[in-house]
Amino acid sequence: MKLEELGKGRIGLRTLAYRLYVPLASLLLVLLAGHWIAIRAGRFDPETALQNQYLRFQKSGDAAAGKLDGLTPAEAAAADRVIADWYEPTQSNGQVLFLGNSQTMAINDYRAGDMVAAQWLQVSLLRQIGTREAPALVLGSLPNITMPETVARTVEFSESRGRRLKQVIVALTLREWRGVGIRPEVQNEIAAHQLAGPLAELIGSNRDLVHGDTVLQGTLQALKNSAGTAESGSAPPVSSRVERTLQKFAGNNSVLFKSRPYIVVELFIQYMRLRDWLLGIKSDAPRPIPFETYRANLEMVELLIRYARARNCDLVIYLAPIRPLQPNPTLASDLARFRADLPKLCARYHATCLDYSDLVPETKGMWTDYPDIRQPDYAHFTGAAHRLLARRLAEDIGSRLTLAAAPRSNAQ
Amino acid sequence: MTFQSISYLLFALAIWLLAIPLSGARSRQVLLLAASYLFYATWGFDCLAILLASSLMNYAAGELLRKRPTTARLCLGVTLNLALLAIFKYLPSMADGASLIRRLFMPVGISFWTFEALSYLFDLYSGDEDANPSLIEFCLYLAFWPTVLAGPVCRVGEMLVQFRREERPGWDDVATGVQRIVLGLFMKLVLAQILLEGVSKDGGVAYGFDQISGGWGGVDAWVLAIGFGFQLFFDFAGYSHIAIGSARLFGIRLPENFDRPYLSLSPSAFWTRWHMSLSFWIRDYAFLPLAMLRPGKWWLMVTLALSMILFGFWHGATALFLLWGAYHGALLVVHRQIQALRQHRKLRVPPALDAAASWVVTFAPVSLGWLFFRSRDLHQALEMWSAIFSPARYMHLILRPNCYIVTAAIVVGYFAIESIRPILARVTGGERAQVVVRALSPAWYAAAVLLIVAYSAQESLFVYFRF
């Protein structure tokens, strides 16, 4: 059948309907199903959904809304600023970057007024030395943050804040040492903030850390490939700009395009549910750490320590609390190796290493089980445990934070 | 502009709408050429300048050959093309970091359109009377946008007939074109992307190859080799579907590039089903002329090996690509020897067992060959190979569980679909079954389109844009 025959009326209605059935029905289905999926996907918080429904990720405004424990408005506002996304303080005080996985960002069995450890630490600093003098804490954590992501985020923060970054507090969680990947969002951050240069420089000046370097090299190579290989001549700005504008337009005008990331997350969640159901995987399933990824992660810690030293920045590493419950997804042999290697490495560079792995006891109100599936949550704790952790951090490093992060005028 | 972008879809639609009212072949050629240059210019005006220079140079060389097809004139044309490839593709990768040559960029698709130009010169030299394009036709042949970035590698004769056709595209052309574009996008954006990146970070083959510095176990090496083989297949076959579908919208049929290569029962069969347009090019313009130079079986084997090394070298001047080509050359030589031995001994094996064993001894070595193709360096490739042959290392796993699960699911799913396809074809051959299939097909298309849209937020280029 020729297309022009359509216009000349030579095609019968039946033939036309037969021909158009598949494209039109497909289009209709795409529109209807797409709308339904997009609306459904847009309803959930991907961060919460990826973990569990009893876990609440702390949001900006929670502290001010909670008004517990006699927080002054200034303290509540400061606590809220800690978790505002990459908050840029206007004051000239020093800044402290706090990095970790979802344990540092989320609260189990949340009650109004609960805060995460970084927020309590900020309040504690304010109380010690006052609003004008206290350093500003910035929580740069990510769920399931890996060591390469920790390094990338530290470099990103340091490059954008320059000398105002005084301290970095890193919560190391053993379960995240099973991998060394960098998620696309962090790769986009690296590209957007033009961190490929500083990272390449970091690799170049630490050639002895072969395994750690390989990880970052892989990321830089991936960035290079996705931007269009240098050899191929990368896509020129005009066409990239046109495409970006079209994508933005589609995102603004179509609910389906807008909710693309959520749909992918929802697909991932469904896949994980199916996988866990089929393979009988529970929260206490052992999560062994292959030697090679352990070694690469350890080298990434060393890279971070060297970077911090070169930047004249005080680095504090703490081993994140582990739920003292057996069976435990963290293997005892892995934990023993971790507890032995980390302090040794930090001691070599005179960096601070705090072992909080058994800080939070298995007492009521500290940890939670998932009521619906009767499985313990080994990764996250409650508001009370966050407060306990913050108190301990304030005791151990509070004085150093206030000293080193004093306003520039005072420091000079 | 890449094939998986919104701008490309709008571009293709706009050109199609402009082309449909055109009645003459010449006006359609002019429109397609202008559109092709516009498309290629989005990769850089410097790239376009090189393509234009190559088109004019090859057309002039062709005219010289047409007047008097001498070996000297052919050599001149071939040398000029190889020089172009050497300057922009091979020398920069071999030069040291500081030199000026290193800073030269490679125009995307240069290997593809240079090989198209070479085949034109070879065809003229061999007296092919169908190779008689006008300047516009020849420029369109090299720059035709569905093929300019990564093939399929076309022949001038088969394209000219279609460029000169006065007829407009039919309904079937458009329907098939759209179907193939949707299938290609699904293969690239969903399947290849999931294999590459995994469903979560650390879950894909990119992680296994690029971010782990060593210590792969035997299972890891197999999963990465097979996973990458399928990622490359979905990526490049997906690209080919979009290219073929885009051309089909205008009634132009491009040569196929893939024909279920992983179902091949011998390495020779694999190379007639994988990147077919290039492997046929190598067969016609390298293997056959070389093989005819001397009689004797040993020379045939040498020619096979040399042709496959050329295949590897076409991808890049690296030890790994050469090794990959040589490895496939060795596979073809071994396969020929086994064939000869079987014929000589008159071995009889039950057909089903024969087919199963042939598939295993084809699929496994072909998959292992990808380790040379994809590894970061020779050291990594050799370490992965040693993991394959060390039984003790099969107890050691280094990848994330999702990598094994997702790769296995996609690979097994692919083979399951390919296995039931003949059965489905038989079942749906009847008229009633056809009606049911047609009634249900919108659901398949809608699901594919929704998945394409969901995964379209991620940006990644086609693997073969590098070559």
Side-chain angles (χ1 to χ4, degrees):
Chain A
M1 183 177 94
K2 296 285 166 226
L3 288 174
E4 59 261 37
E5 290 174 349
L6 283 176
K8 292 175 186 164
R10 289 188 207 146
I11 306 296
L13 211 59
R14 214 173 141 184
T15 315
L16 190 63
Y18 179 79
R19 292 285 190 186
L20 291 179
Y21 163 69
V22 174
L24 289 184
S26 303
L27 192 67
L28 194 67
L29 270 178
V30 166
L31 292 175
L32 291 175
H35 190 76
W36 179 74
I37 291 169
I39 297 288
R40 194 167 171 266
R43 274 191 207 135
F44 71 82
D45 175 0
E47 283 186 333
T48 306
L50 274 173
Q51 307 282 338
N52 67 66
Q53 57 180 308
Y54 308 102
L55 191 67
R56 188 178 187 284
F57 278 74
Q58 190 71 331
K59 291 180 172 56
S60 186
D62 284 347
K67 291 178 186 165
L68 278 183
D69 289 296
L71 290 190
T72 65
E75 286 169 349
D80 276 332
R81 283 198 297 264
V82 170
I83 51 159
D85 201 17
W86 293 102
Y87 158 65
E88 172 82 60
T90 47
Q91 61 198 22
S92 62
N93 294 31
Q95 292 174 20
V96 180
L97 176 64
F98 198 118
L99 288 169
N101 70 351
S102 56
Q103 191 185 70
T104 62
M105 310 163 72
I107 302 170
N108 252 332
D109 294 342
Y110 178 83
R111 288 178 301 123
D114 274 352
M115 298 200 296
V116 293
Q119 290 178 298
W120 282 120
L121 188 59
Q122 176 73 80
V123 171
S124 162
L125 292 173
L126 290 178
R127 286 175 181 172
Q128 276 183 48
I129 53 171
T131 315
R132 291 177 63 84
E133 314 275 305
L137 256 80
V138 179
L139 187 62
S141 300
L142 287 169
N144 302 111
I145 197 167
T146 57
M147 269 317 296
E149 288 174 340
T150 304
V151 172
R153 283 219 134 182
T154 306
V155 172
E156 181 185 344
F157 197 87
S158 169
E159 291 297 320
S160 60
R161 315 292 163 111
R163 290 172 58 192
R164 275 194 291 163
L165 177 63
K166 300 294 179 186
Q167 253 125 359
V168 181
I169 301 172
V170 177
L172 289 184
T173 310
L174 196 49
R175 61 190 292 146
E176 312 300 358
W177 279 36
R178 288 175 298 152
V180 283
I182 297 188
R183 75 197 74 191
E185 298 93 292
V186 178
Q187 291 192 11
N188 291 343
E189 280 177 16
I190 294 173
H193 294 96
Q194 295 170 332
L195 299 180
L199 284 173
E201 206 177 292
L202 185 63
I203 297 168
S205 54
N206 292 283
R207 291 270 178 221
D208 55 320
L209 303 176
V210 181
H211 309 290
D213 278 358
T214 305
V215 174
L216 289 180
Q217 288 275 24
T219 303
L220 294 182
Q221 189 57 45
L223 281 173
K224 204 171 151 189
N225 289 346
S226 68
T229 52
E231 288 84 2
S232 307
S234 54
V238 177
S239 58
S240 299
R241 271 208 302 274
V242 169
E243 180 60 21
R244 235 173 277 144
T245 309
L246 287 170
Q247 291 279 354
K248 206 171 159 188
F249 179 81
N252 289 340
N253 293 287
S254 153
V255 65
L256 179 62
F257 272 81
K258 193 176 181 180
S259 54
R260 281 181 296 181
Y262 302 114
I263 297 173
V264 173
V265 172
E266 172 121 31
L267 286 170
F268 172 65
I269 292 166
Q270 296 306 330
Y271 155 78
M272 290 295 276
R273 279 193 190 138
L274 181 69
R275 184 199 76 166
D276 291 354
W277 177 71
L278 283 175
L279 304 177
I281 296 173
K282 293 188 173 171
S283 70
D284 63 0
R287 287 162 168 84
I289 298 161
F291 170 71
E292 290 75 15
T293 51
Y294 178 83
R295 182 177 56 188
N297 275 307
L298 202 61
E299 286 198 0
M300 296 299 298
V301 176
E302 193 164 352
L303 202 63
L304 185 65
I305 295 173
R306 290 185 189 177
Y307 178 78
R309 258 165 60 123
R311 288 269 160 170
N312 205 16
C313 167
D314 185 23
L315 179 70
V316 175
I317 289 171
Y318 77 82
L319 310 189
I322 293 173
R323 188 168 186 175
L325 198 65
Q326 291 301 332
N328 199 293
T330 305
L331 298 187
S333 55
D334 284 338
L335 183 60
R337 184 168 60 171
F338 192 55
R339 291 174 90 166
D341 290 343
L342 250 299
K344 225 184 284 173
L345 174 65
C346 291
R348 252 189 16 234
Y349 291 93
H350 307 290
T352 308
C353 180
L354 307 166
D355 187 352
Y356 294 159
S357 48
D358 44 19
L359 176 75
V360 181
E362 181 62 27
T363 48
K364 202 169 184 305
M366 290 289 181
W367 301 90
T368 310
D369 291 354
Y370 308 146
D372 52 347
I373 47 175
R374 290 181 194 152
Q375 289 180 39
D377 183 340
Y378 290 91
H380 313 98
F381 37 64
T382 61
H386 272 286
R387 197 159 184 186
L388 174 69
L389 174 62
R391 202 177 301 136
R392 189 64 186 272
L393 276 168
E395 279 168 23
D396 290 340
I397 57 166
S399 55
R400 278 171 53 190
L401 289 174
T402 52
L403 272 178
R408 201 175 286 170
S409 53
N410 292 2
Q412 287 163 356
Chain B
M1 194 189 296
T2 58
F3 278 0
Q4 71 272 39
S5 60
I6 299 177
S7 37
Y8 174 73
L9 296 179
L10 293 178
F11 165 83
L13 179 67
I15 303 302
W16 187 78
L17 289 173
L18 287 173
I20 287 303
L22 297 179
S23 51
R26 177 48 61 98
S27 50
R28 214 173 301 141
Q29 285 173 9
V30 172
L31 175 72
L32 290 179
L33 181 62
S36 299
Y37 282 152
L38 176 67
F39 176 76
Y40 200 63
T42 63
W43 288 85
F45 284 102
D46 27 18
C47 291
L48 180 62
I50 295 165
L51 174 63
L52 269 168
S54 170
S55 302
L56 295 175
M57 178 187 88
N58 279 294
Y59 189 72
E63 288 303 299
L64 280 177
L65 267 173
R66 201 190 315 278
K67 280 179 192 152
R68 201 148 52 91
T70 63
T71 311
R73 289 181 176 196
L74 175 69
C75 287
L76 175 72
V78 171
T79 310
L80 286 172
N81 276 295
L82 294 184
L84 203 69
L85 264 187
I87 292 167
F88 290 105
K89 179 170 177 174
Y90 295 108
L91 286 181
S93 61
M94 288 191 265
D96 63 56
S99 77
L100 201 65
I101 295 173
R102 179 87 191 171
R103 283 186 227 150
L104 284 173
F105 64 93
M106 189 180 93
V108 62
I110 187 170
S111 314
F112 292 92
W113 41 262
T114 301
F115 268 43
E116 286 183 343
L118 282 172
S119 72
Y120 167 63
L121 298 182
F122 288 133
D123 287 350
L124 278 178
Y125 179 70
S126 63
D128 183 355
E129 288 177 2
D130 294 336
N132 56 355
S134 65
L135 180 60
I136 286 182
E137 286 168 340
F138 182 73
C139 289
L140 178 58
Y141 164 62
L142 284 201
F144 188 43
W145 92 79
T147 64
V148 73
L149 298 181
V153 182
C154 304
R155 309 290 173 87
V156 74
E158 65 192 20
M159 294 303 284
L160 277 185
V161 180
Q162 304 191 74
F163 290 156
R164 289 172 181 171
R165 196 179 293 151
E166 298 283 340
E167 288 170 51
R168 290 175 180 154
W171 180 273
D172 288 338
D173 289 322
V174 178
T176 308
V178 172
Q179 277 172 11
R180 296 201 67 165
I181 290 172
V182 171
L183 178 61
L185 287 172
F186 180 75
M187 286 169 96
K188 164 64 186 167
L189 289 174
V190 182
L191 298 176
Q193 195 61 30
I194 287 176
L195 280 167
L196 176 72
E197 302 284 353
V199 286
S200 58
K201 74 176 188 319
D202 303 354
V205 292
Y207 169 76
F209 277 106
D210 295 335
Q211 294 189 302
I212 294 177
S213 56
W216 298 273
V219 177
D220 299 321
W222 275 111
V223 166
L224 289 175
I226 294 172
F228 174 69
F230 271 84
Q231 183 231 321
L232 187 64
F233 168 65
F234 288 129
D235 186 283
F236 196 22
Y239 160 83
S240 301
H241 277 300
I242 302 172
I244 292 168
S246 300
R248 192 68 190 271
L249 291 176
F250 299 87
I252 293 170
R253 291 173 189 239
L254 297 180
E256 292 294 335
N257 241 358
F258 292 87
D259 178 19
R260 294 172 292 159
Y262 288 128
L263 300 184
S264 307
L265 299 183
S266 71
S268 323
F270 177 80
W271 283 112
T272 59
R273 301 166 78 161
W274 177 279
H275 201 174
M276 292 147 69
S277 64
L278 181 63
S279 60
F280 293 160
W281 192 103
I282 301 262
R283 180 196 64 190
D284 294 346
Y285 299 111
F287 171 71
L288 289 177
L290 269 175
M292 282 189 284
L293 282 179
R294 280 164 177 266
K297 279 185 183 169
W298 69 272
W299 176 246
L300 193 69
M301 300 303 141
V302 170
T303 313
L304 261 181
L306 283 175
S307 302
M308 292 315 293
I309 291 171
L310 172 66
F311 210 113
F313 188 67
W314 177 89
H315 288 84
T318 66
L320 282 168
F321 284 134
L322 288 174
L323 208 57
W324 175 72
Y327 170 80
H328 272 284
L331 282 185
L332 290 175
V333 168
V334 170
H335 170 242
R336 291 257 171 162
Q337 297 304 318
I338 292 172
Q339 257 187 335
L341 192 73
R342 283 184 64 173
Q343 275 172 358
H344 182 68
R345 295 271 170 95
K346 294 192 172 107
L347 286 174
R348 282 176 186 247
V349 184
L353 182 66
D354 189 25
S358 301
W359 178 78
V360 171
V361 296
T362 302
F363 180 69
V366 164
S367 296
L368 291 183
W370 296 126
L371 292 177
F372 292 122
F373 194 95
R374 177 61 177 82
S375 291
R376 281 194 308 267
D377 49 40
L378 192 57
H379 174 77
Q380 184 185 30
L382 294 179
E383 194 187 332
M384 285 181 154
W385 266 84
S386 83
I388 296 280
F389 293 104
S390 310
R393 288 174 69 174
Y394 277 80
M395 301 305 290
H396 175 72
L397 299 174
I398 191 172
L399 299 174
R400 298 296 293 266
N402 282 342
C403 189
Y404 306 109
I405 296 169
V406 169
T407 305
I410 290 180
V411 171
V412 170
Y414 170 80
F415 284 124
I417 288 171
E418 287 298 349
S419 313
I420 59 168
R421 224 155 71 144
I423 304 166
L424 273 179
R426 261 204 308 275
V427 171
T428 56
E431 223 168 86
R432 276 190 189 173
Q434 289 274 6
V435 172
V436 175
V437 168
R438 193 170 175 82
L440 291 177
S441 59
W444 295 113
Y445 286 120
V449 169
L450 286 173
L451 282 168
I452 289 167
V453 172
Y455 281 94
S456 65
Q458 292 152 337
E459 288 176 25
S460 71
L461 285 180
F462 288 97
V463 176
Y464 262 69
F465 281 15
R466 281 193 293 142
F467 301 124

